[in-house]
Amino acid sequence: MVSRRADSIDWRSVLTGMLAATLTALLGFMLLLNQRGDMGFALFFLLPGAAGFAAGLITRSGSLLPFTLMFTFLTCTTFLLIAALANSLARVSPLR
């Protein structure tokens, strides 16, 4: 039997949590995307909460959750920039 160190990171848990949160965030964004631009509250408050909740359910340790959420943020931002969907975020930003 292989012993595991207590301070090693369970990357499988981080990656599965990241996958669940990324899918929740991107699918939610695609469902909220419309032409009128009235998705601000759901996009900026409810969707990140749902993605964080999904990551929290999947990630095994609370100390790994920051890694999971950081990788989720980077993955979603990269996907939105590559897919040129970040322009639609600028239309609904509450900071404009």
Side-chain angles (χ1 to χ4, degrees), residues 60-93:
R60 295 177 191 226
S61 171
S63 62
L64 295 177
L65 192 58
F67 287 119
T68 303
L69 295 177
M70 179 185 64
F71 289 137
T72 300
F73 172 75
L74 293 174
T75 305
C76 290
T77 304
T78 303
F79 176 79
L80 290 175
L81 289 175
I82 289 172
L85 294 172
N87 196 16
S88 63
L89 281 176
R91 283 193 319 230
V92 297
S93 173

Side-chain angles (χ1 to χ4, degrees), residues 14 23 77 95:
V14 171
L23 287 176
T77 304
L95 301 175

